[in-house]
Amino acid sequence: MFKLKAFAIAVGIAIASTIPAKADKLQDILSAGEIRVGVLLDVAPWGFKDENGDPAGLDVDVANLLADDLGVDLKLVQVTGPNRIPSLLADKVDVLVAALGATPERAQQVSFSQPYAAVQLGVYGPADMEKAETPDQLAGQSIAVAKGTTLDLWLSDNAPDANLIRFEDVPSVLSAYMAGQASSFAENSAIVAEAAKNNPDVEMDLKFLIRQSPAHIGIRHGEPDLLRWLDTFLFSNRMNGKLPELQEKWFNVKQDNLPHI
């Protein structure tokens, strides 16, 4: 009997030794002493390059705050709207702080933190364009939109008779609208405010309000420790006022109570 027990214990130890330890991204980041954060650098005021070519914007400040609270170095990795999630899934970045809205479709691919900021999504156009009260009133209207974004998905589902003209990124959307390639464009209020400030002669009036759009930090599935840490980080910095200060700094609006997921 003793030999059988000893044999069973030995077999159990051998099997256990062949099972790889479960990866833990939070511990990996702490051990490496560095976090790779994917950010957009072509959509001011979320993220852009200042006059010296240095990264700036709300998401850049949030990324720096995140690294400081972790006690690790920050490595910013520039991503684009379409390749944000692919870059995360390919392990080119550890987290996304990239104006990322949460949708059921995206939640099949990545996990979302609680929100850290919020803006309004809408369709914008010239002052003399009639406002729409319902999505069906957008029918036939040419609307420039960045493909694959929350706005693109929402308009595709809710305003199927609108003429959506899709572009690779936000700068292309704004350029197309200002060049007259579309009668209107869909974007979030922070980007529109920045664009209007830089182009005072271009009319960018809100023509249809879609909804509030919170921004979330995105991570790969299966990392509960990292997700819990991120939510605690966001809670702490809402309570100490740092996140509301950043939203007011970059968006020039006070941060209201943010919704939760």
Side-chain angles (χ1 to χ4, degrees):
M1 180 64 71
F2 175 77
K3 289 183 178 180
L4 285 175
K5 285 184 178 180
F7 176 74
I9 292 172
V11 170
I13 292 173
I15 293 174
S17 66
T18 64
I19 300 175
K22 184 182 183 301
D24 186 315
K25 177 58 71 173
L26 177 59
Q27 292 304 316
D28 290 346
I29 292 168
L30 294 173
S31 297
E34 177 185 82
I35 185 166
R36 301 168 300 164
V37 180
V39 295
L40 301 169
L41 293 178
D42 59 355
V43 285
W46 294 93
F48 60 99
K49 292 184 179 180
D50 64 18
E51 61 275 7
N52 298 317
D54 297 323
L58 173 70
D59 285 347
V60 174
D61 281 357
V62 171
N64 275 288
L65 185 60
L66 191 159
D68 285 345
D69 280 11
L70 274 171
V72 299
D73 294 332
L74 172 63
K75 179 180 180 181
L76 290 177
V77 179
Q78 183 172 358
V79 296
T80 65
N83 78 11
R84 285 176 296 185
I85 290 177
S87 295
L88 179 66
L89 298 179
D91 197 29
K92 295 180 180 179
V93 298
D94 299 313
V95 303
L96 290 174
V97 184
L100 188 64
T103 67
E105 295 82 5
R106 287 174 176 170
Q108 296 178 36
Q109 298 180 284
V110 301
S111 295
F112 295 96
S113 72
Q114 296 299 331
Y116 61 90
V119 290
Q120 302 295 328
L121 300 182
V123 177
Y124 295 80
D128 60 359
M129 176 180 285
E130 187 175 352
K131 289 188 175 183
E133 300 297 330
T134 60
D136 61 285
Q137 292 177 348
L138 298 172
Q141 185 176 141
S142 60
I143 305 174
V145 64
K147 69 179 182 180
T149 60
T150 305
L151 285 152
D152 182 13
L153 299 174
W154 192 95
L155 289 167
S156 297
D157 290 341
N158 295 278
D161 294 326
N163 178 23
L164 300 184
I165 306 174
R166 296 176 174 87
F167 295 89
E168 287 295 327
D169 52 34
V170 173
S172 299
V173 169
L174 296 172
S175 296
Y177 171 71
M178 289 187 280
Q181 297 176 26
S183 61
S184 59
F185 69 100
E187 248 318 321
N188 73 60
S189 55
I191 290 175
V192 175
E194 184 73 13
K197 181 178 71 175
N198 295 328
N199 301 275
D201 296 331
V202 180
E203 295 176 348
M204 301 182 188
D205 290 7
L206 179 64
K207 297 302 169 182
F208 179 68
L209 177 61
I210 294 174
R211 63 171 173 82
Q212 185 187 50
S213 179
H216 307 258
I217 299 174
I219 66 170
R220 286 185 295 280
H221 285 321
E223 296 292 348
D225 290 346
L226 179 58
L227 186 60
R228 182 60 176 165
W229 186 90
L230 288 170
D231 284 339
T232 303
F233 157 76
L234 294 173
F235 170 79
S236 174
N237 284 284
R238 279 196 301 270
M239 297 300 292
N240 66 25
K242 291 182 180 179
L243 285 176
E245 286 174 5
L246 288 179
Q247 173 148 337
E248 188 165 4
K249 169 187 174 182
W250 290 108
F251 294 174
N252 200 31
V253 293
K254 291 186 179 295
Q255 188 174 91
D256 296 327
N257 290 331
L258 300 175
H260 285 253
I261 57 172

